[in-house]
Amino acid sequence: MKTLFTGIQPTGSLHLGNYFGAVKNWVKLQHNFETYISIVDLHAITILYNPKDMQKRILDLALNLYACGIDKEKTTLFVQSEVPGHADLTWMFNTVIPIGELERMTQFKDKAKQNKKNVNMGLLDYPVLQAADILLYKAGIVPVGEDQIQHIELTREIARRFNSRYGKTFPECEAYLTETPRVMGIDGENKMSKSKNNAIGLLESRDDIWSKLAGAKTDPARIRRSDAGDPEKCNIFSYHKLVTPEEEREEIIHGCKTAGIGCVDCKKRLLKSLFNVLGPIQERYSKLILEKKEIIEILESNAEKCRKVAKNTIIEAKEKMGLKPVWKI
Ligand code: SF4
């Protein structure tokens, strides 16, 4: 079975964008690959954050992932900083990749713009740490959206450079391009994100979600109830595409175009469809929250397993580099 690696920042509870953009897919893929999911706290510290919240956010994310269907047996879910090999391998890779390659990364340029007061080395080195994340486990498959392709190409480049300088050590991983819809925020203007304050959380109550939907913009051309609308110009319909069965969606399209359905009713139908997905996730979460101790133990034993895998890779890399092949943790 090929190895799959992916990472997610410890943002605490997940939202619809995280679920439909990534996690739902991982739940499927975990059956086909030896799967590692890392809660990438070392990546998270490249921007300003509150250290007091970090452990809470990590645990809450783990609970959310398990509630979404990540399988405790099938997937190795672990916290990145508990496996020192990630940082060790990053340093080794830093010595084979020219700075110019990192400076041209689109994500670095974007993040440097967004974090003008904190353009630190970690931001520049972020994709090298990603390469180390993947190659530490010699993963062949990395599920990504279009915006991450450049980083996967860089990972392949790092593997090639290391291999040509020191001998064949790392595989050239493949990006597993997934159908990851770009889920827009409730503002209809930006990608869904907690930082933009436009997210619908997976664990939010029916009432809270309804108050967000009730105030959400629809097709701007549909001013009165009697006006016909165009679902393709409506953010509410973009959510229907994620959660409402096709047959019902056809009815909504027809109703919207003929003014047969009002926006309030359309939003109520969306709320019902949303809870067909969120209901079971919330139910699982409420059980998992009572098993926090067990979840912490699973994360610790998974980190232990990862340290063993990492040890082999680090020793092999050190040996090839002429360094003493020891690695104690
Ligand atoms: Fe959007 Fe539904 Fe209103 Fe049509 S009826 S504009 S799809 S909310």
Side-chain angles (χ1 to χ4, degrees), residues 176-189:
Y176 190 96
L177 252 186
T178 49
E179 273 183 42
T180 46
R182 187 178 147 90
V183 182
M184 296 302 286
I186 199 77
D187 56 8
E189 284 162 18

Side-chain angles (χ1 to χ4, degrees), residues 61-280:
L61 175 60
L63 294 170
N64 271 256
L65 288 169
Y66 286 133
C68 287
I70 294 300
D71 189 310
K72 291 175 201 160
E73 305 293 327
K74 286 194 161 42
T75 289
T76 307
L77 177 67
F78 71 101
V79 181
Q80 184 188 31
S81 67
E82 291 179 26
V83 185
H86 290 260
D88 289 3
L89 197 55
T90 300
W91 184 254
M92 296 177 201
F93 287 166
N94 275 338
T95 64
V96 299
I97 193 77
I99 293 175
E101 295 278 333
L102 304 180
E103 284 171 334
R104 68 180 185 81
M105 291 290 117
T106 311
Q107 207 175 75
F108 168 66
K109 290 183 199 159
D110 290 347
K111 284 192 173 172
K113 251 188 239 161
Q114 288 159 16
N115 299 280
K116 282 194 178 120
K117 289 187 183 150
N118 184 30
V119 184
N120 58 70
M121 263 308 294
L123 275 187
L124 184 66
D125 217 20
Y126 196 104
V128 184
L129 178 56
Q130 273 185 329
D133 295 341
I134 296 163
L135 296 177
L136 194 58
Y137 303 93
K138 301 201 172 177
I141 302 288
V142 189
V144 285
E146 290 278 354
D147 57 340
Q148 283 292 316
I149 291 281
Q150 202 183 25
H151 285 187
I152 301 303
E153 277 306 321
L154 188 85
T155 300
R156 291 161 61 84
E157 178 64 19
I158 287 173
R160 278 195 292 270
R161 282 174 184 263
F162 189 99
N163 291 345
S164 88
R165 197 177 289 181
Y166 299 112
K168 176 91 178 128
T169 313
F170 296 105
E172 286 184 37
C173 63
E174 286 166 38
Y176 190 96
L177 252 186
T178 49
E179 273 183 42
T180 46
R182 187 178 147 90
V183 182
M184 296 302 286
I186 199 77
D187 56 8
E189 284 162 18
N190 300 290
K191 195 175 161 187
M192 189 174 283
S193 142
K194 269 191 187 169
S195 63
K196 296 271 182 216
N197 210 15
N198 65 6
I200 296 179
L202 299 186
L203 304 176
E204 284 190 63
S205 70
R206 221 171 250 271
D207 286 351
D208 286 349
I209 294 181
W210 176 248
S211 60
K212 287 182 180 176
L213 293 181
K217 286 181 204 145
T218 59
D219 173 4
R222 196 168 187 204
I223 298 161
R224 287 174 294 269
R225 165 71 178 77
S226 53
D227 293 336
D230 181 354
E232 289 308 323
K233 292 185 180 147
C234 174
N235 193 30
I236 290 295
F237 192 72
S238 74
Y239 300 139
H240 271 297
K241 283 184 184 165
L242 299 172
V243 291
T244 304
E246 199 177 343
E247 209 176 305
E248 190 179 342
R249 273 196 334 255
E250 291 301 323
E251 261 176 48
I252 291 169
I253 293 171
H254 179 73
C256 179
K257 287 184 172 172
T258 57
I261 179 174
C263 291
V264 175
D265 282 338
C266 184
K267 288 174 177 180
K268 282 184 183 161
R269 288 172 83 158
L270 173 63
L271 186 70
K272 188 165 158 274
S273 299
L274 267 175
F275 267 83
N276 288 338
V277 177
L278 300 188

